[in-house]
């Protein structure tokens, strides 16, 4: 028995967002969780994943010393390749003091990266236990690529990893075979689509590395705007030889935002509740240019390496509209997108990086987190004097309540890894009416009312509802909804383009959730539910029953299902379920 721990630190040189940890036994994934679920701080910025590491060890009942090795999905020594960029940034700064300070920081960064790459990590791990096992540093983008190929079903694939930045690289094209991965092309930082989209996100009033999904959701409300497109195309180059450094070429995104302000002659947005037509058109154009470049890149290199299979990972691969464009490219046969595509998924690639691809099981689930026993849930409810029932026909009762308009918090089994709730930490509602969507936005999620929701549906029914339907268990791809079925899915169809980001559900993947969908189908004729993550605006998805109860009583939910236990707010139902 051999244990490997892989984690993304998010301290000092190692990045700033989405630390996570994953534990493997003889190469098999046993437990994985993001630090934000435990700190309750969205993205856990600048946080060492001590809680996530402890949770991994506690799940298996082992100590740090029981690990054979630790893998960090980041290799600081590769940062020497980014030194010319940092020196160029120094020259561009105004004022001698700022230049000296920046140069001093660059020198310290390079010294630590070269001579003390794991010292900070070792000192933090010593708080958890000693001795600290051997630590190996592996390439950021290679770990992303491993996470997109090894757990796929492909024998061979083109893999594209796209994010803000690795050690020195921003986008990498890989040829993946049974023997492993080889780089085909590297786009060096700061030539980064992740940073380009982050600058657009900031300019539109959201925080970078947090609001990109909202910009993607805003994009279909916009239209082709020749003037916006002309100005952007005069500033950046798209296509397989893209160059976005006019907006991303300096430290951070503030330069990019300032450049956009000058380019369009208007300041950044400050109100994200409503957007004018210019802002919608800008989001639309940014999405269009991203899709244009990545699909051209994919089309060029699948032909060059001789495969029709494509794997995607990196934070930009969370863009489900982009994934749809790749999937529909005529040169592409099949696509696998790592469901934990952002940096939290690096822990998965780090754990698999020394395994042969054939030795890694296909990824069919992301339920790798905490689970809470029914006795624990009962004890919590009884200690807090919260009335509950345990109906024998739970799925039927809850399906009927949803069909009658109830908004349901659904807390089951092991928590999901990644940004999507997939039926274990979910808020559920009737997908058939716009009123249902609006209630969830206004009274439950407390977010902008224009934002769309996504559905869960029984996999065997996907062809009936979706154009070009494929298995989609991770809610990371977008589909056109068949015109004759749009009235059944009004709450989960994007109002501007009639698409939806569907999750397909099989019985073997999630038996209870599948039963609930079947019961809802029996009650309504529609095997679909509106499914959004169980969290309030600006907080991580709930991880514990206590957190679920807090959100239940603080949000406009009517029913809470904790395992076998059902809690209702007083007056929310004419009859107890």
């Amino acid at each position: 028995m051999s244990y490997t721990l892989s984690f993304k630190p998010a301290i000092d040189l190692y990045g700033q967002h989405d630390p996570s940890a994953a534990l493997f036994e003889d190469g098999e994934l046993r437990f994985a969780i993001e630090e934000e679920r435990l700190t309750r701080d969205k993205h856990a910025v600048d946080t060492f994943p001590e809680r996530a590491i402890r949770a991994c060890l506690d799940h298996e009942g082992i100590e740090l010393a029981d690990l054979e090795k630790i893998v960090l999905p980041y290799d600081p020594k590769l940062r020497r390749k980014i030194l010319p960029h940092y020196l160029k940034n120094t020259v561009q700064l105004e004022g001698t003091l700022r230049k000296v300070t920046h140069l001093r920081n660059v020198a310290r960064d390079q010294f630590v990266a070269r001579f003390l790459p794991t010292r900070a990590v070792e000192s933090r791990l010593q708080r958890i236990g000693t001795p600290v096992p051997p630590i190996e540093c592996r390439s950021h983008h290679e770990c992303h690529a491993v996470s997109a190929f090894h757990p796929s079903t492909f024998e061979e694939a083109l893999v594209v990893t796209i994010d803000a930045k690795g050690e020195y690289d921003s986008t990498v094209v890989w040829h993946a075979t049974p023997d492993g991965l080889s780089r085909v092309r590297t786009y060096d930082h700061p030539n980064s689509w992740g940073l380009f989209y982050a600058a657009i996100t900031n300019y539109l009033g959201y925080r970078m590395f947090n609001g990109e999904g909202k910009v993607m959701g805003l994009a279909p409300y916009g239209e082709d705007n020749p003037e916006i497109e002309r100005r952007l195309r005069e500033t950046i180059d798209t296509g397989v030889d893209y160059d976005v450094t006019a907006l991303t070429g300096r430290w951070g995104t503030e330069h990019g935002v300032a450049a956009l302000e000058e380019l369009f002659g208007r300041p950044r947005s400050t109100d994200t509740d409503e957007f004018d037509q210019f802002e919608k058109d800008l989001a639309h154009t940014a999405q269009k240019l991203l899709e244009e470049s990545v699909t051209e890149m994919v089309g060029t290199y699948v032909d060059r390496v001789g495969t029709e299979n494509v794997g995607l990972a990196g934070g930009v691969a969370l863009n489900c509209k982009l994934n749809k464009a790749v999937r529909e490219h005529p040169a592409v046969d099949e696509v696998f997108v790592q469901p934990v595509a952002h940096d939290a998924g690096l822990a998965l690639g780090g754990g698999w990086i020394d395994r042969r691809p054939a030795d890694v099981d296909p990824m069919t689930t992301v339920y790798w987190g905490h689970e809470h026993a029914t006795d624990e849930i009962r004890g919590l409810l009884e200690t807090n004097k919260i009335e509950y029932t345990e109906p024998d026909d739970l799925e039927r009762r809850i399906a009927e309540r949803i069909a009658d308009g109830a908004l349901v918090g659904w807390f089951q089994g092991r928590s999901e890894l990644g940004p999507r709730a997939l039926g274990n930490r979910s808020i559920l509602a009737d997908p058939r009416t716009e009123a249902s969507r609006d209630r969830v936005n206004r009274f439950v999620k407390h977010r902008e009312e224009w934002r769309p929701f996504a559905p869960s549906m029984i996999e065997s029914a996907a062809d009936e509802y979706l154009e070009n339907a494929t298995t989609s268990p991770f809610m990371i791809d977008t589909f056109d909804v068949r015109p004759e079925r749009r009235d059944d899915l009004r709450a989960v169809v994007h109002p501007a383009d009639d698409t939806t980001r569907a999750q397909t559900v099989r019985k073997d993947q999630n038996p209870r959730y599948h039963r609930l969908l079947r019961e809802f189908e029996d009650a309504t004729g529609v095997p679909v539910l509106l499914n959004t993550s169980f969290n309030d605006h600006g907080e991580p998805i709930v991880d514990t029953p206590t957190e679920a109860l807090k959100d239940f009583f603080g949000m406009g939910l009517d029913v809470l299902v904790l395992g076998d236990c059902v809690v209702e707010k007083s007056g929310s139902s004419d009859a107890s379920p």
Side-chain angles (χ1 to χ4, degrees):
M1 184 181 301
S2 171
Y3 286 106
T4 297
L5 178 73
S6 177
F7 65 90
K8 192 226 176 188
I11 60 169
D12 296 332
L13 306 176
Y14 296 91
Q16 304 298 321
H17 294 78
D18 302 312
S20 63
L23 184 67
F24 299 78
E25 180 186 358
D26 297 329
E28 180 183 351
L29 180 60
R30 300 289 296 166
F31 186 91
I33 194 166
E34 294 179 69
E35 184 74 3
E36 68 166 26
R37 303 293 179 88
L38 307 175
T39 64
R40 308 309 302 156
D41 179 25
K42 189 71 172 174
H43 299 299
V45 180
D46 293 328
T47 303
F48 185 82
E50 181 174 337
R51 293 174 180 83
I53 292 168
R54 290 185 184 276
C56 287
L57 300 176
D58 290 345
H59 182 267
E60 290 295 296
I62 62 175
E63 298 180 353
L64 196 69
D66 295 321
L67 300 172
E68 179 183 13
K69 66 178 179 180
I70 292 171
V71 177
L72 302 183
Y74 193 92
D75 188 351
K77 293 182 178 179
L78 293 176
R79 288 177 69 83
R80 69 183 184 277
K81 296 187 177 184
I82 208 170
L83 181 59
H85 168 65
Y86 286 160
L87 294 177
K88 181 180 178 182
N89 273 180
T90 303
V91 173
Q92 293 169 334
L93 291 173
E94 296 180 1
T96 302
L97 180 60
R98 290 187 67 194
K99 289 181 179 179
V100 171
T101 301
H102 187 264
L103 191 60
R104 184 185 299 118
N105 290 337
V106 170
R108 176 184 175 276
D109 175 283
Q110 293 293 313
F111 176 82
V112 173
R114 183 170 181 179
F115 298 108
L116 305 170
T118 61
R119 181 68 59 86
V121 172
E122 289 174 351
S123 65
R124 298 299 294 268
L125 287 172
Q126 286 171 356
R127 302 180 187 181
I128 299 173
T130 55
V132 174
I135 297 175
E136 297 180 4
C137 295
R138 308 303 292 266
S139 161
H140 177 108
H141 269 272
E142 187 175 4
C143 288
H144 270 319
V146 165
S147 78
F149 179 64
H150 286 47
S152 74
T153 57
F154 301 146
E155 287 288 323
E156 182 182 14
L158 180 82
V159 175
V160 185
T161 56
I162 324 169
D163 63 7
K165 179 177 72 69
E167 298 88 357
Y168 67 96
D169 35 12
S170 294
T171 301
V172 183
V173 179
W174 307 81
H175 184 202
T177 69
D179 295 326
L181 293 147
S182 59
R183 286 185 185 242
V184 176
R185 182 167 183 178
T186 299
Y187 299 78
D188 290 346
H189 175 80
N191 192 17
S192 166
W193 278 113
L195 288 178
F196 168 84
Y197 217 88
I200 297 290
T201 298
N202 271 16
Y203 182 68
L204 289 173
Y206 291 111
R207 286 191 297 115
M208 67 174 183
F209 307 143
N210 183 66
E212 284 81 354
K214 302 170 188 177
V215 174
M216 179 194 70
L218 179 65
Y221 291 101
E223 301 172 352
D224 283 339
N225 184 315
E227 183 62 17
I228 290 176
E229 187 168 335
R230 179 186 66 80
R231 294 190 184 193
L232 280 176
R233 289 190 185 278
E234 288 176 352
T235 305
I236 67 170
D237 295 324
T238 61
V240 69
D241 297 318
Y242 77 85
D243 184 351
V244 296
T245 54
L247 295 180
T248 64
R250 297 191 188 180
W251 188 259
T253 58
E254 282 304 305
H255 166 73
V257 173
L260 289 167
E261 290 178 326
E262 181 177 353
L263 184 66
F264 296 114
R266 56 181 285 166
R268 73 187 72 191
S269 305
T270 57
D271 181 7
T272 57
D273 290 328
E274 294 185 12
F275 291 94
D276 63 25
Q277 194 60 45
F278 167 85
E279 292 162 327
K280 296 174 185 177
D281 291 350
L282 176 61
H284 173 88
T285 306
Q287 180 70 27
K288 176 181 179 178
L289 299 184
L290 170 67
E291 292 179 15
E292 175 185 301
S293 285
V294 175
T295 54
E296 184 174 330
M297 193 185 311
V298 167
T300 297
Y301 287 105
V302 293
D303 180 63
R304 189 167 301 180
V305 304
T307 177
E308 297 177 335
N309 301 321
V310 176
L312 298 174
V316 177
L318 290 179
N319 189 308
C320 59
K321 300 285 190 183
L322 170 64
N323 298 340
K324 178 178 185 288
V326 172
R327 176 171 53 84
E328 293 179 347
H329 192 288
V332 173
D333 182 19
E334 292 189 53
V335 178
F336 175 77
V337 184
Q338 168 51 238
V340 196
H342 61 312
D343 276 4
L346 287 168
L348 302 180
W352 287 320
I353 197 166
D354 290 324
R355 306 282 293 178
R356 294 175 60 252
D359 293 336
V360 177
D361 291 334
M363 197 168 186
T364 59
T365 178
V366 291
Y367 307 122
W368 295 113
H370 285 126
E371 184 171 17
H372 298 268
T374 300
D375 286 346
E376 177 190 348
I377 293 169
R378 289 194 194 105
L380 175 67
L381 296 172
E382 291 166 5
T383 297
N384 289 279
K385 297 180 171 54
I386 297 172
E387 293 186 5
Y388 69 95
T389 59
E390 295 188 50
D392 292 334
D393 55 348
L394 183 148
E395 292 85 2
R396 175 175 291 276
R397 292 290 189 92
I398 298 305
E400 291 172 350
R401 294 288 285 117
I402 295 173
D404 289 338
L407 305 181
V408 174
W410 182 259
F411 185 103
Q412 301 291 330
R414 297 184 70 174
S415 60
E416 300 95 337
L417 179 69
R420 310 290 178 227
L422 299 173
N424 279 8
R425 301 290 187 274
S426 293
I427 291 171
L428 307 176
D430 191 332
R432 298 173 296 168
T433 68
E434 293 177 356
S436 178
R437 176 196 69 206
D438 294 342
R439 280 191 67 208
V440 177
N441 263 332
R442 185 177 306 173
F443 301 117
V444 178
K445 300 291 280 190
H446 304 125
R447 68 182 200 176
E448 305 92 333
E449 294 191 16
W450 56 266
R451 290 176 59 189
F453 287 106
S456 298
M457 62 178 61
I458 292 174
E459 184 179 293
S460 59
D463 277 328
E464 183 181 349
Y465 287 86
L466 308 176
E467 302 276 5
N468 301 313
T470 62
T471 299
S472 182
F474 305 122
M475 201 180 277
I476 201 166
D477 204 349
T478 300
F479 301 87
D480 295 316
V481 178
R482 292 187 181 278
E484 67 273 19
R485 285 299 188 180
R486 289 171 190 166
D487 285 342
D488 290 341
L489 304 181
R490 279 297 164 200
V492 294
V493 174
H494 197 297
D497 65 2
D498 294 321
T499 63
T500 196
R501 189 187 67 207
Q503 173 199 7
T504 59
V505 182
R506 294 198 312 266
K507 184 177 180 179
D508 63 296
Q509 292 167 335
N510 194 325
R512 170 163 275 187
Y513 196 38
H514 187 271
R515 285 198 302 273
L516 180 66
L517 286 161
R518 282 293 186 203
E519 293 291 353
F520 189 78
E521 180 183 26
D522 287 346
T524 66
V526 178
V528 184
L529 288 169
L530 181 156
N531 171 19
T532 188
S533 56
F534 197 160
N535 60 282
D536 205 344
H537 181 70
E539 74 171 11
I541 299 173
V542 299
D543 190 61
T544 68
T546 298
E547 293 156 8
L549 281 166
K550 177 185 74 68
D551 274 5
F552 172 64
F553 287 112
M555 302 163 75
L557 294 171
D558 302 302
V559 181
L560 174 63
V561 186
L562 293 169
D564 297 333
C565 302
V566 178
V567 180
E568 292 227 30
K569 289 178 181 171
S570 176
S572 66
S573 174
D574 295 331
S576 177

